Amino acid sequence: MDSFNTKAVHGEKLPKFIQSKVTPIYQTSVFSFDSLEEMEGYYNGESPYLYTRTGNPNSDELANVTSRLEGAPAGVAASSGLGAIMAAVLAVAKNGDHILAARDVYGGTFYMLKEELARMGIETSFVDFEDQEAVEAAIRPETVILYTESITNPFLRVENLEKMADLAKQKKLVFIVDNTFATPFLVKPYEFGADMVVHSATKYIGGHSDVSAGVVVGKKEYIAAARSRVVNIGLNLSPFESWLACRGAKTLGLRMERQSANAQKVSEWLRMQPKVKDVFYPKGVSEKGNGAIVTIHLADHTDEAAFFRSLGWIQIVPSLAGVETTVSWPFGTSHRSLNAEEKAAVGVSEKTVRISIGIEEADDIIGELEKALAKA
Ligand SMILES: Cc1ncc(COP(=O)(O)O)c(C=O)c1O
């Protein structure tokens, strides 16, 4: 080995066992083998990794930690929350099937179900999940999935998971729950009977607004099918994004505890403000807290643009769940794709402000909101 270019690309082989404290980033698109026999081992289950799209230790670590926290037996990571939802839905539904979804699911999920899946011949009906009769009436012979969120975005309706799981079981539907807002620190839908639980790990699991990632966890047979969609459609998550999300997951409980306590205080203060017409903050989600999102409707006479302009260190961010308090405007971002009628049905207006509460001191958060409300 004497030419420059050969020396540049062929270094020493890594020792097989290096005990690093933290899982290293397996930033590789493919894995190598010492022999054809060893490579054959991949196909008969002796060796776990062949090619990163079909599996990588970092994306498996994210799937495993999420499964552990949710109390589910299996999981698979995906490129984003929507990637995870797509993999979960396509694990079950095929051309000609029908999905029944809560009408107040996240706007991106709404669009994906209504438009993208419709293009594949999978139709979705959106129904008020508070109205059990309407839900039952919307079930068709070709319905295969009941889809909802444990806490909805942006009005934080808390789903009755037990009731929905029972209905799904009775009607032989696969029950899929998006647990992004609640996180398994507060709610574990699998334990209520969900067949699959999906996450935008972009949010609380990652927790630092520096990664786009998704995870599906649930029953083994469904996760095997979801994994096949991830692998064969190409919805896999990169090693570095997986690693970042895993690092975030380590502090999920600490962050949720602190952020939920802050959100409780901020929501109580907001209820006393004359420039705030409505405060949406759930009750009874868990004894550990009620989540870290507070949604408000500014009063009719207020100037929402002035409110957003006057927020000081609270940034306007069309996402949520970082350690910093941020605000978003669902009307112009997450729910932009809904038409006027759909927005009205969900209750999103120009006056809707979704506040993602961070880990700062609650009184400091209140101080910033107070200044902005004074200008609104
Ligand atoms: C509840 C919920 N589910 C899914 C998603 C989609 O996640 P991602 O943006 O990671 O695809 C979002 C994004 O905001 C969300 O709020």
Side-chain angles (χ1 to χ4, degrees), residues 80-82 85 106 109 149 153 178 180-181 200 202-203 213 320:
S80 65
L82 282 189
I85 296 167
Y106 161 64
T109 306
E149 294 171 358
N153 176 5
D178 182 331
T180 298
F181 272 38
S200 169
T202 315
K203 309 296 178 334
L320 58 119

Side-chain angles (χ1 to χ4, degrees), residues 76-93:
V76 62
S79 52
S80 65
L82 282 189
I85 296 167
M86 186 60 115
V89 165
L90 292 184
V92 180

